[in-house]
Amino acid sequence: MADGGLCQILALLVLDSDGARLAVKYCSYARKELWVGSKAQMAFEKRVISKLPKPSTARTGEVDVAVIDDYTVLFQACNDVIVCAVAGANENELVVLQLVEGIFASMSSTAQGSSFLSSGLTKQLVLDSLADVLFILDEVMDDGIIMETDEDKISARIKMIDETEATNAAQAEQMFQKATQSAKAKLLGSLIGSRG
């Protein structure tokens, strides 16, 4: 663990199923680079992808864990995209798990937008919304320290919405849904009542 008991993340990786990097963020550990230069980073990424199981075509995989080169790697895969968080062997896996779930969910909601026919996160969706994906990686971690894990808060930051605005928007949506349901029930009641 980092000084003060904070969880230290060494790298966030968004890779395709062949190990090619889509988006990555590396951090220093105790002011020392663990993977110096892009060649060392890409070699590590290839080792990571070679040790992980291939992503299934299922909509969303569960977060899983692997130990690679004495580092704990938590990852979530869907279609041809794998999101990984690399931490030291002694870090709290539950905190890192929340981070991976938050990143994956934020990327999925940001990349897919309002499409309800989507088959999950894909390489093309990540590349199409690369600026947002990089922003997500930057928002969730600062110099290896986890700053946020909640999908709603991450998404609100990406959309540049204040958290209170996001809460107010959610409440307004709920009120609209209730009003719609009430109007529907009254309309059906009046139609059924006029027949009988």
Side-chain angles (χ1 to χ4, degrees), residues 11 50 52 71 116 141 191:
S50 70
L52 299 182
Y71 300 109
F116 63 93
M141 183 178 70
L191 288 175

Side-chain angles (χ1 to χ4, degrees), residues 22-183:
L22 302 175
V24 296
K25 183 173 182 181
Y26 283 89
C27 299
S28 59
Y29 182 72
R31 308 246 183 254
K32 184 178 105 182
E33 296 289 326
L34 296 175
W35 299 282
V36 180
S38 62
K39 283 188 177 184
Q41 292 173 356
M42 292 175 93
F44 176 71
E45 293 162 17
K46 291 290 184 192
R47 281 195 307 280
V48 166
I49 208 71
S50 70
K51 305 253 177 152
L52 299 182
K54 290 291 179 198
S56 67
T57 55
R59 228 175 125 71
T60 311
E62 293 294 317
V63 177
D64 205 351
V65 65
V67 177
I68 301 169
D69 295 349
D70 294 328
Y71 300 109
T72 302
V73 178
L74 276 86
F75 63 95
Q76 188 167 4
C78 180
N79 295 325
D80 55 353
V81 176
I82 302 170
V83 177
C84 304
V86 182
N90 59 345
E91 296 296 344
N92 185 339
E93 289 91 359
L94 293 176
V95 175
V96 182
L97 170 97
Q98 287 180 325
L99 175 68
V100 171
E101 287 177 337
I103 292 170
F104 191 87
S106 297
M107 284 175 49
S108 296
S109 66
T110 301
Q112 293 172 5
S114 60
S115 174
F116 63 93
L117 295 175
S118 178
S119 62
L121 195 60
T122 64
K123 178 180 177 178
Q124 190 59 50
L125 285 173
V126 170
L127 293 175
D128 288 346
S129 57
L130 188 59
D132 289 336
V133 170
L134 291 169
F135 196 26
I136 289 169
L137 296 182
D138 193 50
E139 283 294 312
V140 298
M141 183 178 70
D142 186 27
D143 199 26
I145 305 301
I146 297 172
M147 302 304 285
E148 188 59 66
T149 61
D150 183 63
E151 172 199 354
D152 294 331
K153 290 181 181 179
I154 297 167
S155 295
R157 288 180 182 175
I158 298 307
K159 296 173 187 168
M160 301 290 186
I161 300 174
D162 187 1
E163 289 176 25
T164 55
E165 288 180 41
T167 304
N168 290 343
Q171 289 173 345
E173 180 68 26
Q174 286 177 341
M175 288 176 55
F176 178 74
Q177 292 294 333
K178 286 181 184 177
T180 305
Q181 291 295 331
S182 175

